[in-house]
Amino acid sequence: MHEMSLCESILQVIEDEARLQSFHKVVEVHLAIGTLAGVEVDALKFSFDVVVQHSLAQDAELCIQMVPATGLCPSCGQQCAVENRYDPCLNCGSFGLQITNGDQMRITHLEVQ
Amino acid sequence: MCRVCGCSDAAGGSVPAGQPLQPVRTHAAELDTARMVKIEQEILGKNDRYAQHNRSLLAEQGIFCVNLMSGPGAGKTSLLVKTLNDLKAEIKFAVIEGDQETSRDADRIRATGVVAVQLNTGKGCHLDAHMVGHGIESLAPLPNSTLLIENVGNLVCPAGFDLGEQHRVAILSVTEGDDKPLKYPDMFAFADLLLLNKIDLLPYVEFDVEQCVENVRRINPAIVVMQVSATTGSGMEQWYDWLRTHQHAATDERN
C-alpha cells in the first residue's frame, strides 16, 4: 500500500539529482530492494508508472535488483539466510536473528540523457 | 527487457543479486547520449532526515515521543483517552492523531482537555516524518512533556516510516488473532513495547495469549509485553509506569 509514497520519494530523489547532475530525461531507474523490505514489486512498478507521468522520468524503466536477506544469530554468532523475520537461525535454531542485509530500499543508479 | 542489464521478463524484470553493473554503452549502443549516474541513496532518505530533525528538536526540549501503531479497531484512541484522563494531572501531554479522513479522533482527545492536532493523510496509509514535523510545529508541545503520535490504523505501512519518535509501541487486541505478529512481522520487529489490549474480552474469544507472546518474541525477543484493558483499567498501571519512567529519562537527559 505504501508503494505509491515510495515512488513519490524516488521521483523526488531523481528530480534533485537532475538539478545536481544536469540531466533532462531518465531512461532507467535501478533499485536494490531487500526481500525483507516489505515492498511488493508489482505494486511498486504499477505505482511508478503512475507517479512519473509528465515528469522527466516518464517512460523510464524500473529495474529492480532483489537483495536476499541475511541475519546474525545472537546465540551462536553465525550468519545465515533469512526468508521471513520469524525464521530461526539455520545453524542453531535460536530466534531473534538480527537482520544484517536484505531490508534496504535503495536507488543505486540511473541511466539518463 | 532492461536495456542496461539485459534482465529478462522471466525474472519479473529483476536483476539477479550480485550481478555487476556494466558500462551502459557496451550494450545500449542505440542510446548514444545516454549515461549512467550513480545515486546510492535510500529511497526513504528524505523521510529519515526529517525524522532525525524531529528527534533532535524533541530531545532538546526533553519531550518524550511515542509512535503508537496498530491495525484499525485495536483500541488505540480509547487507550489514549483513558491514559490521558488518568495521567494528565501528572504529565503534560500533546497528541498527534493520524487518520485518512475526519477529525473524530482528535475531537475525542481534545475532549479530555489535552492539546491535539489531526493529520489527515488523504490517500496515504501512514504518517511520515515531514507531516509529523508540521504537526509538532502547530502543536508546540511544552518542554518536558510527552508527545503521543497515534499512527494511521494499519498493520503494514506505518512500520516503514521513522517519525522521529524515541519508542514505538504496537497495540494488538485479543479480538484480532494471536498469529497477527507472524502475519505482519515488520510492525512488531521494530516495536519496543506491545500492549495487548481488550484482555477483558479474553473469556469470549479464541485468543491464546501465551502463543501470541511466543509468536511476537520469535520476531523480537526483546519486546516488552503488557496485558491491558482500556475499558476496565486492568493492567494500565504498568503502561503508566513505562510512560513515567521514559518521560523522566527524557527530562533528565535534557538537564
Side-chain angles (χ1 to χ4, degrees):
Chain A
M1 249 166 100
H2 58 287
E3 281 76 5
M4 193 66 99
S5 3
L6 295 181
C7 289
E8 283 165 357
S9 300
I10 292 169
L11 183 59
Q12 272 184 6
V13 171
I14 292 173
E15 286 174 343
D16 291 347
E17 286 295 323
R19 279 188 290 275
L20 289 172
Q21 305 206 41
S22 307
F23 55 84
H24 308 285
K25 184 175 166 61
V26 178
V27 185
E28 286 170 5
V29 178
H30 289 254
L31 310 180
I33 304 287
T35 52
L36 291 185
V39 174
E40 272 303 324
V41 168
D42 287 343
L44 194 72
K45 288 185 168 181
F46 177 81
S47 307
F48 183 78
D49 290 342
V50 174
V51 167
V52 298
Q53 277 178 29
H54 311 300
S55 79
L56 78 171
Q58 179 161 338
D59 302 323
E61 190 156 7
L62 196 58
C63 303
I64 300 172
Q65 175 192 0
M66 294 307 292
V67 182
T70 53
L72 177 70
C73 176
S75 300
C76 72
Q78 299 286 308
Q79 290 268 1
C80 69
V82 183
E83 203 171 318
N84 299 293
R85 284 198 187 270
Y86 50 78
D87 283 346
C89 170
L90 293 177
N91 303 301
C92 74
S94 302
F95 288 105
L97 291 171
Q98 292 155 6
I99 304 305
T100 50
N101 197 9
D103 57 356
Q104 63 270 71
M105 294 187 281
R106 180 163 267 267
I107 308 174
T108 57
H109 62 286
L110 306 173
E111 188 191 320
V112 302
Q113 287 178 314
Chain B
M1 161 101 53
C2 165
R3 286 183 297 275
V4 169
C5 309
C7 57
S8 68
D9 289 335
S14 302
V15 184
Q19 183 164 322
L21 301 173
Q22 299 294 325
V24 61
R25 285 190 178 76
T26 60
H27 54 313
E30 76 280 11
L31 297 166
D32 267 352
T33 55
R35 62 187 167 107
M36 197 175 347
V37 295
K38 257 182 119 60
I39 301 279
E40 293 298 344
Q41 280 194 43
E42 296 303 321
I43 293 176
L44 292 180
K46 203 165 189 173
N47 182 76
D48 293 345
R49 287 191 290 278
Y50 280 120
Q52 202 44 51
H53 175 78
N54 293 346
R55 190 170 283 114
S56 320
L57 195 85
L58 295 168
E60 276 166 22
Q61 300 184 63
I63 298 168
F64 173 53
C65 178
V66 189
N67 178 2
L68 294 126
M69 298 182 285
S70 79
K76 282 193 302 299
T77 312
S78 301
L79 191 131
L80 280 190
V81 167
K82 169 85 177 150
T83 303
L84 298 174
N85 279 328
D86 287 351
L87 291 187
K88 66 185 174 189
E90 191 182 329
I91 297 177
K92 290 170 283 187
F93 284 104
V95 178
I96 292 178
E97 280 288 335
D99 272 307
Q100 280 199 311
E101 299 291 345
T102 82
S103 63
R104 295 174 72 98
D105 281 0
D107 295 343
R108 284 175 69 189
I109 299 295
R110 286 191 201 107
T112 69
V114 168
V115 288
V117 65
Q118 180 81 47
L119 301 180
N120 286 135
T121 57
K123 66 180 165 55
C125 44
H126 56 268
L127 291 174
D128 62 41
H130 180 245
M131 298 177 78
V132 166
H134 282 300
I136 294 171
E137 205 173 53
S138 71
L139 262 183
L142 294 167
N144 305 329
S145 61
T146 290
L147 174 63
L148 301 172
I149 303 173
E150 182 181 339
N151 217 315
V152 177
N154 179 340
L155 273 171
V156 185
C157 309
F161 292 80
D162 184 2
L163 305 181
E165 71 275 4
Q166 272 179 293
H167 285 285
R168 289 184 172 194
V169 175
I171 302 170
L172 182 67
S173 67
V174 302
T175 53
E176 295 175 68
D178 48 38
D179 57 354
K180 274 286 191 313
L182 299 182
K183 290 173 166 174
Y184 302 95
D186 292 0
M187 177 73 64
F188 300 93
F190 303 111
D192 307 287
L193 170 64
L194 169 63
L195 294 176
L196 196 53
N197 193 22
K198 306 190 189 178
I199 52 158
D200 52 309
L201 298 180
L202 273 175
Y204 313 105
V205 293
E206 278 188 35
F207 187 96
D208 186 334
V209 172
E210 213 170 296
Q211 184 65 57
C212 176
V213 174
E214 192 184 314
N215 288 341
V216 77
R217 292 242 159 92
R218 281 177 69 164
I219 300 155
N220 183 348
I223 197 168
V224 176
V225 182
M226 296 176 185
Q227 298 182 45
V228 300
S229 165
T231 306
T232 65
S234 166
M236 292 292 277
E237 199 51 43
Q238 45 180 342
W239 154 238
Y240 296 163
D241 279 342
W242 187 90
L243 281 173
R244 288 181 187 110
T245 306
H246 286 93
Q247 175 55 72
H248 293 156
T251 305
D252 290 348
E253 266 175 48
R254 181 197 183 210
N255 296 335

